[in-house]
């Protein structure tokens, strides 16, 4: 089975390169494709404070894709974990998912903050974040992941 996705838009502004940390200070825009969408596609979106954004890690070359285990950020002091037990960009389908703050909606331009995607990133989908879609109950994660995320945003 094969799957073809067409981006709904792209990231404009923000960082030009992907760095591991400091995404909390980044502001950018998601510009939706005006040839496919009219402003009514985002009607009501401004009522939400946050978005979930699905995007493509377009700058990861096919030969850099990883399918096995590795140390997150290549740190030997963190455990060897499989690609599906981490959120690295060198994933098999190079798909990223991020939650970010929605600052404003201006036609088909969505002003956002804290989106960990770089300028030019193809956006595959945008959804309003609703707390009811967040996890119910206690969230469990290993200590290394909290250490990794300490300066991410």
């Amino acid at each position: 089975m094969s799957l073809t996705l067409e981006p709904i838009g792209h990231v404009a502004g923000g960082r030009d390169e992907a760095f591991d940390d400091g995404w909390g200070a980044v502001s950018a825009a998601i510009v939706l494709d005006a040839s496919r969408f009219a402003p009514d596609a985002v009607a009501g979106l401004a009522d939400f404070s946050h978005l979930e954004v699905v995007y493509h890690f377009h700058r990861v070359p096919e030969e850099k894709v990883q399918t096995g285990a590795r140390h997150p950020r290549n740190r030997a002091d963190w455990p060897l974990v499989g690609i599906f037990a981490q959120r690295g960009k060198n994933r098999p389908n190079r798909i990223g998912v991020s939650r970010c703050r929605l600052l404003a909606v201006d036609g088909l331009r969505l002003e956002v903050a804290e989106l960990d995607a770089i300028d030019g990133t193809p956006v595959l989908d945008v959804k309003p974040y609703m707390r009811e879609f967040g996890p119910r109950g206690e969230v469990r994660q290993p200590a290394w992941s909290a250490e990794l995320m300490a300066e991410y945003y």
Side-chain angles (χ1 to χ4, degrees), residues 63-82:
E63 64 272 10
K64 296 283 187 181
V65 167
Q66 299 173 334
T67 59
R70 71 176 181 100
H71 295 281
R73 293 193 184 176
N74 297 314
R75 284 189 45 178
D77 60 322
W78 287 342
L80 191 65
V81 294

Side-chain angles (χ1 to χ4, degrees), residues 103-124:
L103 304 176
V105 177
D106 182 13
L108 294 175
R109 185 179 178 89
L110 312 177
E111 299 291 337
V112 297
E114 302 171 356
L115 175 63
D116 58 348
I118 59 176
D119 184 48
T121 296
V123 175
L124 304 174

Side-chain angles (χ1 to χ4, degrees), residues 23 26 55 57 97-100 114-118 152-153:
W23 291 99
V26 175
Y55 55 90
F57 290 117
V97 178
S98 185
R99 290 188 182 142
C100 62
E114 302 171 356
L115 175 63
D116 58 348
I118 59 176
Y152 194 78
Y153 289 104

Side-chain angles (χ1 to χ4, degrees), residues 5-13 29-37 41-42 53-58 108-110 115 117-126:
L5 297 176
E6 185 176 343
I8 62 165
H10 67 278
V11 174
I30 297 169
V31 180
L32 301 178
D33 183 350
S35 71
R36 295 179 58 203
F37 304 102
V42 295
V53 181
V54 180
Y55 55 90
H56 186 251
F57 290 117
H58 67 298
L108 294 175
R109 185 179 178 89
L110 312 177
L115 175 63
I118 59 176
D119 184 48
T121 296
V123 175
L124 304 174
D125 203 356
V126 172

